[in-house]
Each structure stands twice: as C-alpha cells, then as structure tokens.
Amino acid sequence: MELRVEQLTAGYPGHLAVRGVDLVVPSGQVVAVVGPNGCGKSTLLRCMARLHQPDSGRVFAGDADVWRLNQRAAAHRIALLPQSPQAPEAVTVAGLVRYGRHPHQGLFRQWSPDDERAVDRALRATGVTALGDRRLDQLSGGQRQRCWLAMALAQETPVLLLDEPTSALDIGHAVEVLDLVREIAAEGRTIVMVLHDLAAAARYADAVVAMRDGRVVAAGPPREIVDAALVRELYGIEAEILTASADGAPVVVPGVRASRSAPAG
C-alpha cells in the first residue's frame, strides 16, 4: 500500500515542527527519515500514525485519508512502533505480541483462531517463537526490539512506521533489526523509519528523506543524495563519503565541524 503525505504542517504551542512536507512511499519500499535532533522527524511520523493532529495537509494510506478514518479503521492500515515503548510489568513475549491484535477486537469480535495465527506468524517472522513464554524484561536489547517488532507485525497493517528502531542497540543488534526490516519490506509492507545513523539509512533504505528545521531538504535514493554537502547541511560537520565494496552504499566518515554553528536540537 502506498503511503502519501501532502503539504503536511504540524507543531506545538509556540513551535512549528513540520513545515509543508510532501512524501510518497511506494508499496514495499523502505524510506529512512534522517536529520538532526529537533528537525521534526518524530512529529512527522506521529502525524502519519494519527497520534498528532496536523495543522494542515493530508496523509493517505492507499486511497484513504487516514485523518478521515476512525481510529480503528486507521489502525488496520498503519502501525507505529514508537521510540521507547513501555510494556506492562512482567509481560511475556507472547503476551506482548497479542497486544498487536487489539485493533481487531471489539464488542462482537473477540479473540479468534485468526488472531492466534497472526501472532504465530509475527513470532516466526521475527525469530522469537522460542521466547514466547519468557518475560520481556529478561531479554537482551536486541531480543526485546525484535519482540516489539513482532507486536507491530501482528497488527497486520500494510504500512509500518518505526521511530528509531535501533536506538540504544549495539551495532550487532542494530544490524540484526535492520536486516529484519528489509525482510519485512520484501514481503510487501511499506516501511518508514526514523534513523539517527545516516550510514545505516544509506545502506538499508530504498530512499532517504533528509529533514532540517521541519522541512525536507533532500530526498531520493541514498547513492544519489548522500554526500558531503548534505552531511554539512544537516549536522554542521565535514565528512568524507566512501563507497562500501559489498553493495556500493555510501559510507559516512565524520570529520571536523564545519565553520558555521551546529544545528540546534
């Protein structure tokens, strides 16, 4: 399902966080949104997920404007994994993943074999079936993040939004999670993820959207837009851009700070 954002503007009292953003994510593609702290990345994602009311503009999932849908209908199209999700105390992995089926429950629609199959599929897809009876708080950071992804997958939406899915993970677990993101997209889901690591975004995303001060300053395939000038504009540092021998992805090697002051955030 295609995800489309048209002239989206959103903010908070006294602060405009997103300014006239246009974005198109084709079905089955991975888009990484990058930029300095405070540039509007997470606000943009929250607007897409119907968690923050935009001041103007529209968000379409397929042919539907998500802000014209009721919350349950929107949750059948778009799932969001936030930055720092909080689980109920002592919840098991299987119990956590079952929360992903909440949008499918209702007064006349209780837990069903279809729900159980969706949970099983999500556990298998993320490689955590064997952890089903374990408590979430007993797992490593990488394992926990896989479990949170399983919960989002169990919602069975065609669009998946991930806000800093590798935050606080070491490089090994980060690669593990991003490899999983690519596998999920290969099955046809549309994914938008916020990343702080520009090099990871360049390697794992089909397209990179770079934001600064609430606006999109560059967008396109990583090999076309990730260069020293973009790094300087976003982060205020000089950088050398190398090419990975394995796949040709841009590799960002940070250097000294540029002459102008760094972006706020």
Side-chain angles (χ1 to χ4, degrees):
M1 180 179 287
E2 181 183 84
L3 178 67
R4 190 169 78 256
V5 175
E6 296 180 350
Q7 282 296 294
L8 192 77
T9 296
Y12 308 92
H15 174 62
L16 196 58
V18 178
R19 304 165 185 259
V21 167
D22 291 306
L23 176 64
V24 177
V25 186
S27 179
Q29 296 286 293
V30 177
V31 166
V33 184
V34 302
N37 291 341
C39 72
K41 304 185 297 295
S42 293
T43 301
L44 175 62
L45 228 59
R46 288 174 59 81
C47 289
M48 294 178 187
R50 274 182 50 98
L51 294 179
H52 185 91
Q53 176 78 52
D55 298 326
S56 62
R58 298 191 293 179
V59 178
F60 288 90
D63 59 356
D65 183 338
V66 300
W67 282 98
R68 292 183 177 272
L69 299 174
N70 62 44
Q71 190 166 355
R72 183 177 296 273
H76 282 213
R77 292 177 179 247
I78 298 177
L80 169 68
L81 181 59
Q83 283 185 38
S84 302
Q86 298 295 317
E89 187 175 355
V91 70
T92 65
V93 170
L96 176 74
V97 178
R98 289 189 186 103
Y99 281 110
R101 299 302 296 169
H102 179 73
H104 300 271
Q105 309 304 305
L107 183 61
F108 301 106
R109 169 67 165 81
Q110 300 301 311
W111 192 263
S112 71
D114 285 342
D115 295 313
E116 199 63 47
R117 284 190 288 270
V119 169
D120 288 342
R121 283 193 296 269
L123 290 167
R124 287 198 305 273
T126 52
V128 295
T129 300
L131 302 175
D133 294 329
R134 295 273 302 276
R135 281 174 39 174
L136 191 70
D137 57 12
Q138 295 174 336
L139 304 180
S140 71
Q143 289 173 322
R144 285 196 300 273
Q145 196 67 337
R146 277 182 167 267
C147 296
W148 283 111
L149 275 171
M151 185 194 73
L153 287 180
Q155 195 170 325
E156 292 196 321
T157 59
V159 178
L160 185 58
L161 308 178
L162 308 173
D163 197 353
E164 298 185 31
T166 59
S167 177
L169 296 182
D170 62 44
I171 188 170
H173 287 127
V175 167
E176 181 181 315
V177 168
L178 291 172
D179 281 340
L180 177 58
V181 168
R182 289 298 333 177
E183 292 170 12
I184 294 167
E187 295 174 356
R189 300 205 193 199
T190 303
I191 298 176
V192 179
M193 58 181 177
V194 166
L195 289 178
H196 273 302
D197 186 341
L198 182 57
R203 166 152 286 179
Y204 287 94
D206 297 297
V208 170
V209 173
M211 293 184 65
R212 178 176 168 82
D213 297 330
R215 295 186 173 88
V216 173
V217 297
R223 297 179 196 185
E224 295 180 11
I225 72 163
V226 176
D227 57 19
L230 180 64
V231 176
R232 187 184 308 115
E233 181 173 9
L234 294 181
Y235 305 109
I237 62 170
E238 300 296 342
E240 184 177 2
I241 309 300
L242 307 180
T243 301
S245 58
D247 57 8
V251 178
V252 180
V253 181
V256 298
R257 180 160 299 282
S259 57
R260 71 169 177 77
S261 60

